[in-house]
Amino acid sequence: ATLIQQLRAKTPELVLVSAGGLLSADGPGDRLKGEYILKGFSKLNYDAIGVQWRDLAYGPAFASGESLPWVLSNRGSVTATEDTGFAGERVITRGKQRIRFFSWLDAAASPLRKMQGEHSLVDVSPKSFLAALKQAKQAGDITVVASTLSSQQFAKQVGLDNVDLLI
């Protein structure tokens, strides 16, 4: 946190983003460790954090409990009572430059697919996501997309039109 504060003091236009993957559920103490990780990240003042499946290991409410700047751009339709607390995008402004951060969660990698019933946490269709990317580019924003997919997989599933930086 101190290093980031020093870097921001020297370079006010610094942007701090993460592709996500902060949590894990591999061992019995991981939930407690996850609470500390989320509290630590809240002190670092990230501009945006992408959502990965591992961040949802204890459910969306657990991850969004620290009010971090989570982004899940292809979230499924939710009602107000089911709201995950994840934004569809984050706009980061530094001087005259605007960066729009998105995060694409691969539905094929969902651990929920192994469960019975309907679980629509993410939208598999990139239609609305692509429209948001196009709108951002038309506005002159730099578009940054976080995903666990490789660039080749992302290009095939979603497309790289209107994406400036893929993490």
Side-chain angles (χ1 to χ4, degrees), residues 47-111:
D47 293 297
I49 302 171
V51 174
Q52 292 185 21
W53 287 115
R54 61 185 291 151
D55 297 318
L56 301 172
Y58 304 108
F62 180 84
S64 62
E66 286 296 322
S67 300
L68 292 170
W70 292 108
V71 175
L72 179 55
S73 303
N74 64 320
R75 62 188 174 158
S77 60
V78 294
T79 65
T81 59
E82 298 172 316
D83 190 10
T84 59
F86 304 140
E89 63 186 54
R90 293 269 177 202
V91 177
I92 305 160
T93 305
R94 293 295 186 273
K96 294 181 181 179
Q97 187 60 62
R98 284 175 29 127
I99 298 166
R100 206 164 318 186
F101 183 90
F102 300 90
S103 177
W104 180 263
L105 191 55
D106 181 21
S110 171

Side-chain angles (χ1 to χ4, degrees), residues 131-152:
L133 281 171
K134 185 176 181 179
Q135 180 185 15
K137 287 306 294 176
Q138 288 174 340
D141 297 346
I142 294 173
T143 55
V144 178
V145 178
S147 179
T148 57
L149 295 171
S150 70
S151 58
Q152 293 83 9

Side-chain angles (χ1 to χ4, degrees), residues 150-163:
S150 70
S151 58
Q152 293 83 9
Q153 292 171 316
F154 189 86
K156 186 176 179 180
Q157 286 185 28
V158 181
L160 291 170
D161 294 342
N162 298 312
V163 175

